């Protein structure tokens, strides 16, 4: 039996449960359990029982476990990537399934290697105070369907490093991916330290509402994030929320369009556009507008889309029918307004799978639905501007503020402009290039709290001052 089949057999149920289908082919992949509120409560109880012994280990011992987790992920990398491709839809190649699994290992090793020494706050001869970081207890991790393994690692591994136990609820759209990753991780961890519950949004609500969970980490929509804030207020839970984004990119008039075209493409279309911090609205200076649109269209037209298991493809289907309908509605709004379809925009509705063609929409009103709503799919609106101040105003006028980018051949000019943009991260001449050492978080209604690096470790710990 192949490692893929062994993994699938370990996490699926033969009878009952819920069917999981490949979004590219409609093929039945397997069945996942559908658990109840009682199962959530039991998982929280297991986590609370296991957490004190886990926290009692030395930091070096927990780091050793994390490095062995990374080893286990790498040993199962191809099986995990195949399952991820079948369930989520993303191709094996390009910045997709194999890339995501590799990132899981990297985002495990970096938190394991990140030092977090005791901080001496003051030592002036009269007063001495130290800052320590203690475990919180149980962390609830509620993970999305677009990067279901990588984002799970972002939440789980820092929590474990700091001595917490975890209860994770994967998205109901990508439950297999969540269960498979947890199965591999749990070949290393003591029983009860990582617990996974499979089911719908009601299970996530149960985790949020539990008085026995000290922290919630959530990646998903702003709408759901607001509900989590409300539901968690009774116990004053700590929250890290990475919510919806509608990232703007501003292209200045001093760039070489052909030189930036491929980076623009991947900034917008990584994971077929299903990325929170993807480039979702592009503002281009009038002097080079037509050249940028042409160069971007040339790159986009040669990127193959299809079944993720085909080694040639780098773009896949949308993960679910709900997301297909959102993209289709927003593109239809742009077309009805008279915007120019440069590429795509006309899906084959009789085809198998949730494939939406790579779509570029030019000469669009900056307040069209496709611009102001997050499409979360392979459709990019390109807005022409003549006044840079107006472009900045348009970039800043939405409630979203996860990421943004500035494209210029003059780095200082780009940095000055970046400082005027309201976003948690502003990239220069790239978009969405996250790094496990660099803190990441949103502004405005794109959430709050930081992940990655030292800041990410501190976010899943209780600061404690010891003075005297």
């Amino acid at each position: 039996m192949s490692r893929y089949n062994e993994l699938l057999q370990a996490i699926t149920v033969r009878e009952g449960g819920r069917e999981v289908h490949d979004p590219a082919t409609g093929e039945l992949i397997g069945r996942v359990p559908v658990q109840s509120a009682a199962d959530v409560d039991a998982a929280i109880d297991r986590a609370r029982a296991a957490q004190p012994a886990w926290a009692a280990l030395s930091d070096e011992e927990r780091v050793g476990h994390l490095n062995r987790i990374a080893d286990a992920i790498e040993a199962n990398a191809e099986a995990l990537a195949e399952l991820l491709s079948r369930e989520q839809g993303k191709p094996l190649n390009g910045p997709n399934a194999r890339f995501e699994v590799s990132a899981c290992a990297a985002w495990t090793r970096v938190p394991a290697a990140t030092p977090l020494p005791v901080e001496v706050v003051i030592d002036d001869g009269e007063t001495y105070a130290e800052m320590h970081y203690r475990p919180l207890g149980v962390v609830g991790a509620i993970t999305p369907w677009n990067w279901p393994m990588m984002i799970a690692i972002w939440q789980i591994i820092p929590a474990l490093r700091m001595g917490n136990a975890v209860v994770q609820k994967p998205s109901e759209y990508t439950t297999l991916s969540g269960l498979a990753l947890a199965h591999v991780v749990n070949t290393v961890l003591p029983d009860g330290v990582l617990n996974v519950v499979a089911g719908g949004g009601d299970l996530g609500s149960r985790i949020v509402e539990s008085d026995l969970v000290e922290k919630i980490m959530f990646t998903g929509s702003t709408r759901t994030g607001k509900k989590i804030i409300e539901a968690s207020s009774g116990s004053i839970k700590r929250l890290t929320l990475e919510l919806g984004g509608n990232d703007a990119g501003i292209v200045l008039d001093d760039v070489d369009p052909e030189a930036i075209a491929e980076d623009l493409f991947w900034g917008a279309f990584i994971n077929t556009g299903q990325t929170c911090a993807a480039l979702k609205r592009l503002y281009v200076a009038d002097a080079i507008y037509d050249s940028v649109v042409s160069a971007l269209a040339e790159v986009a037209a040669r990127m193959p889309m299809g079944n993720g298991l085909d080694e040639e493809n780098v773009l896949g289907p949308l993960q679910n029918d709900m997301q297909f309908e959102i993209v289709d509605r927003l593109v239809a709004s742009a077309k009805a307004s008279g915007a120019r379809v440069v590429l795509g925009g006309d899906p084959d509705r009789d085809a198998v799978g949730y494939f939406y063609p790579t779509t570029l929409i030019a000469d669009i009103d900056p307040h069209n639905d496709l611009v102001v709503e997050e499409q979360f799919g392979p459709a990019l609106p390109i807005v022409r501007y003549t006044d840079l101040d107006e472009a900045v105003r348009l970039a800043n006028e939405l409630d979203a503020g996860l990421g943004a980018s500035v494209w210029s051949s003059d780095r200082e000019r780009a940095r000055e402009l970046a400082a005027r943009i309201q976003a948690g991260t502003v990239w220069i001449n790239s978009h969405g290039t996250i790094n496990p050492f660099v803190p990441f978080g949103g502004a405005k209604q794109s959430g709050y709290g930081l992940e990655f690096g030292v800041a990410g470790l501190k976010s899943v710990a209780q600061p404690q001052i010891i003075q005297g």
Side-chain angles (χ1 to χ4, degrees):
M1 184 182 295
S2 70
R3 184 158 292 191
Y4 168 81
N5 286 326
E6 289 177 357
L7 187 59
L8 193 62
Q9 189 176 70
I11 61 175
T12 53
V13 294
R14 294 188 177 183
E15 297 180 359
R18 180 176 58 80
E19 292 185 347
V20 177
H21 295 267
D22 187 327
T25 66
E27 175 189 358
L28 176 65
I29 305 170
R31 295 174 180 271
V32 294
V34 177
Q35 294 179 287
S36 67
D39 293 311
V40 174
D41 294 344
I44 294 171
D45 288 342
R46 287 194 301 272
R48 287 187 69 83
Q51 190 270 333
W54 176 250
L57 296 177
S58 69
D59 185 54
E60 290 76 16
E61 288 172 313
R62 288 197 299 273
V63 164
H65 278 84
L66 298 191
N67 283 319
R68 288 191 291 277
I69 288 171
D71 293 341
I73 291 171
E74 289 168 347
N76 289 275
E78 191 62 17
L80 288 169
E82 182 178 346
L83 189 148
L84 177 60
S85 182
R86 287 179 184 273
E87 182 182 46
Q88 201 280 336
K90 63 185 65 181
L92 291 170
N93 287 326
N96 292 299
R98 288 178 177 132
F99 168 86
E100 180 169 350
V101 174
S102 176
C104 287
W107 254 273
T108 298
R109 295 197 191 280
V110 170
T114 300
L116 189 59
V118 173
E119 301 172 21
V120 176
V121 179
I122 186 171
D123 182 9
D124 62 2
E126 295 183 5
T127 303
Y128 180 84
E130 294 177 343
M131 176 80 82
H132 295 254
Y133 290 89
R134 310 298 190 195
L136 288 166
V138 176
V139 172
I142 303 174
T143 52
W145 52 260
N146 59 331
W147 295 92
M149 293 186 183
M150 183 174 70
I151 291 177
I153 287 293
W154 292 356
Q155 298 182 4
I156 292 167
I157 295 301
L160 296 180
R161 165 72 192 279
M162 299 309 292
N164 305 290
V166 177
V167 177
Q168 183 206 357
K169 207 292 282 187
S171 168
E172 54 269 41
Y173 290 106
T174 50
T175 304
L176 281 175
S177 297
L179 292 173
L181 180 65
H183 175 76
V184 171
V185 171
N186 275 329
T187 62
V188 175
L189 289 176
D191 290 344
V193 174
L194 171 62
N195 308 268
V196 181
V197 291
D202 58 315
L203 302 192
S205 297
R206 188 76 172 190
I207 296 170
V208 172
E209 293 164 3
S210 173
D211 291 339
L212 304 178
V213 175
E214 283 80 13
K215 164 93 183 190
I216 296 294
M217 302 186 75
F218 171 74
T219 298
S221 71
T222 298
R223 182 182 66 256
T224 302
K226 290 178 179 180
K227 292 179 180 178
I228 289 173
I229 294 169
E230 293 172 1
S232 67
S233 63
S235 56
I236 315 182
K237 281 185 178 57
R238 279 69 175 156
L239 301 176
T240 296
L241 303 176
E242 196 256 89
L243 306 179
N246 194 348
D247 288 12
I250 299 179
V251 179
L252 301 184
D253 57 8
D254 58 7
V255 301
D256 176 350
E258 292 187 358
I260 66 169
E262 188 157 340
D263 288 333
L264 281 174
F265 175 83
W266 284 119
F269 293 97
I270 186 172
N271 195 26
T272 315
Q274 300 167 109
T275 297
C276 296
L279 173 56
K280 298 189 175 81
R281 48 195 174 111
L282 185 63
Y283 302 90
V284 181
D286 177 67
I288 58 169
Y289 183 88
D290 293 333
S291 297
V292 169
V293 170
S294 177
L296 187 52
E298 184 178 336
V299 171
R302 66 171 186 260
M303 296 294 181
M305 174 183 289
N307 189 325
L309 298 182
D310 183 336
E311 298 278 356
E312 299 301 314
N313 292 324
V314 294
L315 299 170
L318 290 163
Q319 201 284 321
N320 55 72
D321 179 63
M322 170 193 70
Q323 201 57 45
F324 182 97
E325 293 301 324
I326 290 172
V327 176
D328 195 35
R329 171 179 62 83
L330 293 174
V331 172
S333 171
K335 292 164 69 174
S337 74
R340 175 165 57 98
V341 179
V342 178
L343 188 70
D346 187 19
D348 181 356
R349 302 179 195 283
D350 296 323
V352 175
Y354 303 126
F355 289 98
Y356 199 94
T358 307
T359 298
L360 298 174
I361 304 289
D363 299 323
I364 186 170
D365 185 290
H367 296 104
N368 184 269
D369 290 347
L370 180 59
V371 181
V372 300
E373 294 185 35
E374 183 183 21
Q375 69 276 46
F376 217 68
L380 179 66
I382 310 172
V383 177
R384 186 191 303 263
Y385 75 84
T386 55
D387 182 283
L388 182 57
D389 290 338
E390 174 67 5
V392 173
R393 188 188 68 78
L394 290 169
N396 286 339
E397 71 178 1
L398 301 185
D399 290 334
L402 188 57
S405 55
V406 176
W407 303 75
S408 173
S409 61
D410 184 335
R411 183 174 180 81
E412 281 308 306
R413 185 185 181 202
R415 288 172 63 88
E416 290 173 6
L417 183 61
R420 299 171 58 192
I421 298 176
Q422 297 165 3
T425 300
V426 182
W427 292 277
I428 294 174
N429 295 330
S430 68
H431 198 109
T433 51
I434 53 176
N435 183 303
F437 293 99
V438 179
F440 178 71
K444 299 193 282 189
Q445 293 193 28
S446 289
Y448 49 72
L450 290 172
E451 298 177 272
F452 313 163
V454 172
L457 293 178
K458 291 179 178 180
S459 78
V460 284
Q462 173 61 52
Q464 182 187 54
I465 292 288
I466 296 179
Q467 183 172 329

